[in-house]
Amino acid sequence: VPGFAQALEESDLYTRGHSERVAVYSEILARGLTLDDNEVRRIVQAGVMHDVGKIGVRDDMLNKPGKLTPEEVAVFRQHPEKGKRILEPVPCLHGLIDGCWCHHEWYDGGGYPRGLAGDQIPLVGRIVAIADAYDAMTSDRAYRRALPHEVAVSEIERCAGTQFDPRVAEAFVRMVG
């Protein structure tokens, strides 16, 4: 599993370490939800692999300092589906597909790629979504500086019920505090 994530991070200065941090936050959250150890392990691995579909996205797009064009946004929005296609042929990685495929679905149905809502989104996807968003907000990116922990937590609280599962968001805020 780490080899795939390593391949992605080798090509992108800004996501270096992102997959591992998402895995750590996913583990904190899974433990906060008192999931069993096997499920926690699967969620951690899904956190590592969540962005595998970004393999092949051009460096100039990954590290673009300005606003993305509509065409570039469309390319980025393909990465969950692409990640699913990368993992599908490998039977031992099937348990990681939902974390990869569903981490940009929104609790209110406004996300992508499928527009799933609420419990239609597998729990692993709802967990990785929060871990991914928190790390994205608290890391320096080409287009903006990292936000402070308090600001990122407030944003997760504000988006509970729309972008994020409110129960999972509440657990995250409690555990990461």
Side-chain angles (χ1 to χ4, degrees):
V1 170
F4 279 112
Q6 187 79 28
L8 175 61
E9 292 189 358
E10 285 296 319
S11 68
D12 182 13
L13 181 65
Y14 287 93
T15 60
R16 199 154 292 152
H18 171 67
S19 297
E20 283 78 11
R21 289 188 304 272
V22 169
V24 168
Y25 298 134
S26 295
E27 179 175 12
I28 290 167
L29 192 38
R31 292 202 184 283
L33 294 168
T34 63
L35 302 179
D36 71 63
D37 287 345
N38 287 335
E39 187 62 4
V40 170
R41 267 192 299 280
R42 185 177 77 87
I43 288 168
V44 167
Q45 290 177 329
V48 170
M49 296 299 288
H50 78 283
D51 272 345
V52 71
K54 286 185 179 175
I55 287 175
V57 173
R58 293 190 339 258
D59 283 352
D60 60 321
M61 280 178 56
L62 287 172
N63 295 312
K64 186 174 180 179
K67 197 165 166 54
L68 296 176
T69 67
E71 295 78 20
E72 290 167 333
V73 169
V75 169
F76 264 106
R77 285 186 163 226
Q78 292 171 9
H79 84 270
E81 194 75 45
K82 192 173 175 188
K84 175 184 178 277
R85 287 196 309 271
I86 289 169
L87 298 176
E88 263 179 337
V90 188
C92 67
L93 299 180
H94 283 186
L96 310 184
I97 289 173
D98 283 341
C100 190
W101 197 18
C102 300
H103 72 281
H104 285 293
E105 299 288 359
W106 281 29
Y107 194 73
D108 70 358
Y112 64 91
R114 295 179 290 163
L116 301 178
D119 291 339
Q120 291 178 316
I121 306 164
L123 180 60
V124 62
R126 289 179 272 147
I127 288 172
V128 173
I130 291 175
D132 181 43
Y134 178 80
D135 187 67
M137 288 187 278
T138 58
S139 300
D140 284 334
R141 294 295 174 100
Y143 49 89
R144 63 141 181 80
R145 302 290 297 162
L147 298 173
H149 164 78
E150 297 75 21
V151 173
V153 167
S154 292
E155 191 64 10
I156 287 169
E157 289 175 319
R158 186 182 71 78
C159 297
T162 54
Q163 185 173 355
F164 306 120
D165 177 331
R167 185 178 71 93
V168 179
E170 187 274 321
F172 183 79
V173 170
R174 186 179 72 245
M175 296 302 291
V176 84

